Amino acid sequence: MKSDFLLSVVVPVYKEEGNIVPFLERCVKVMEENEYCYEIIFCLDPSPDRSYEVICESIRKNKNIRLIQFSRRFGQPSATYAGICACRGDACIVTDVDLQDPPELMKEMVDRWQKNGSDVVYAQRKTRAGETLIKKIVAHSGYALINHMGDVDIPVNTGDFRLIDRVIIEELKKSKEHHGFLRGMVAFTGFKQEAILYDRDARHSGKGNYNRFFGSLRIGLNGLICYSTKPLEFVTVFGGLFTGAGGLFLLYYIVESILRLCSVSIPHIPFTVVLLLLLGGINFLFIGLLGEYIGRIYEEVRQRPRYIVDRMVDADNVDGTGKEWRE
């Protein structure tokens, strides 16, 4: 007997030609074996490979597949948010197409959502296959820092792979933030949330589309800045400490000058240049931190769209005919 709900699966895509068909084979199998009413929404940043063509070929075979293609590359967070806003399901599962997050886990997510009444069911990684030690250290440190300094608690070792109820979807659609950090946005909404532990697999094929070190670092920085002003408080405290230290050094040199005039010799501090360089470096660091906040303020007040849709394709217009499913 078919389910009495519609399940949406949102999949951001960029240069994933080799992963689309294997992903669909496993994902559709889960949907059909459990007789879910479903839709799969691919959110495609324009790719230099055949990702668009492969998705269109899949749409011709399965009318439950849809495609949103953007006018340019807006990045994974914006693509994911576009899919969430466009989905029509009673619940939505966000996942990647590279099969690091197993589609078979979707059934357990749906079961928890239905039986436990959870509004969010997020996948929490026990192991992370195919990831370097440096990336694991950056990820662990980033979660610890965000949760220590942030205004919301973001579960450690989680990604975007999660099921969210329609009530969460509607709250997310109200968001006007330009820098969307899905894990933080979902945690911010509250409601009943629970975890499923799983072992994360290595990529099925191809390479990731962002730098393994700096990409993770940038995501962590974005999460910290979007959900905490404590770094600014830290700058204030740190600045006060160095100002006090500078005052003590100034007092020392005044006393030293007076004593030298009185022919009293005291030790001279030789690391003045080093101290100046240190203070200069710290100043530049803090100016950069302030710049991160100011840059986000600038982007928010411009109110530019987070994404621009070029075309939306479904079974009715996959061959260039029919009406696009724009809202």
Side-chain angles (χ1 to χ4, degrees), residues 15-279:
K15 292 199 300 187
E16 297 285 2
E17 174 186 351
N19 290 323
I20 295 169
V21 172
F23 168 81
L24 282 173
E25 289 175 351
R26 290 173 60 179
C27 184
V28 171
K29 181 180 179 181
V30 173
M31 300 297 147
E32 293 182 347
E33 284 183 349
N34 294 281
E35 298 187 320
Y36 295 150
C37 295
Y38 69 95
E39 62 176 2
I40 300 174
I41 305 174
F42 287 104
C43 305
L44 176 65
D45 279 326
S47 300
D49 62 0
R50 295 187 66 254
S51 292
Y52 176 82
E53 289 78 8
V54 173
I55 294 173
C56 286
E57 291 170 5
S58 301
I59 293 174
R60 293 186 183 98
K61 300 175 184 177
N62 187 335
K63 65 179 182 179
N64 296 313
I65 301 172
R66 294 186 170 92
L67 167 66
I68 303 174
Q69 177 167 277
F70 306 103
S71 60
R72 64 171 179 83
R73 188 180 182 188
F74 284 89
Q76 181 176 349
S78 295
T80 302
Y81 184 74
I84 292 173
C85 290
C87 78
R88 302 176 298 187
D90 298 286
C92 166
I93 294 179
V94 177
T95 186
D96 289 329
V97 74
D98 56 17
L99 294 175
Q100 286 187 283
D101 301 322
E104 293 75 16
L105 200 63
M106 295 180 186
K107 180 184 183 303
E108 187 174 352
M109 289 181 170
V110 173
D111 290 343
R112 299 280 188 96
W113 170 59
Q114 289 187 302
K115 296 177 182 178
N116 299 348
S118 298
D119 298 296
V120 177
V121 183
Y122 56 86
Q124 193 167 36
R125 303 158 184 164
K126 292 189 296 183
T127 59
R128 306 162 67 104
E131 295 186 1
T132 63
L133 178 62
I134 293 177
K135 183 174 181 179
K136 293 178 182 178
I137 293 173
V138 170
H140 179 78
S141 302
Y143 280 114
L145 184 62
I146 292 173
N147 286 329
H148 179 70
M149 303 185 70
D151 299 325
V152 296
D153 291 328
I154 300 174
V156 299
N157 290 324
T158 60
D160 291 342
F161 187 30
R162 62 192 60 218
L163 178 148
I164 55 178
D165 185 83
R166 171 52 62 176
V167 66
I168 305 292
I169 295 171
E170 293 303 321
E171 292 301 323
L172 294 179
K173 289 169 69 173
K174 297 176 184 177
S175 172
K176 304 299 181 182
E177 294 182 28
H178 186 272
H179 284 273
F181 183 62
L182 184 63
R183 279 155 271 185
M185 294 169 68
V186 172
F188 176 80
T189 62
F191 297 100
K192 184 177 180 180
Q193 307 193 13
E194 68 171 302
I196 294 178
L197 297 177
Y198 79 110
D199 298 307
R200 195 178 198 217
D201 299 327
R203 284 180 61 90
H204 178 267
S205 67
K207 297 181 179 179
N209 293 309
Y210 68 98
N211 185 277
R212 291 188 176 186
F213 177 76
F214 291 104
S216 298
L217 195 62
R218 186 64 186 172
I219 291 173
L221 180 62
N222 187 42
L224 178 61
I225 290 177
C226 285
Y227 290 93
S228 177
T229 57
K230 287 186 179 179
L232 293 177
E233 299 172 12
F234 174 74
V235 168
T236 303
V237 173
F238 208 82
L241 291 175
F242 270 84
T243 299
L248 291 176
F249 277 112
L250 177 62
L251 179 62
Y252 178 88
Y253 279 111
I254 291 174
V255 172
E256 181 193 34
S257 298
I258 293 174
L259 292 176
R260 286 184 182 278
L261 289 175
C262 297
S263 299
V264 178
S265 178
I266 62 173
H268 178 69
I269 299 178
F271 55 84
T272 304
V273 174
V274 175
L275 182 62
L276 288 174
L277 290 174
L278 175 63
L279 291 175

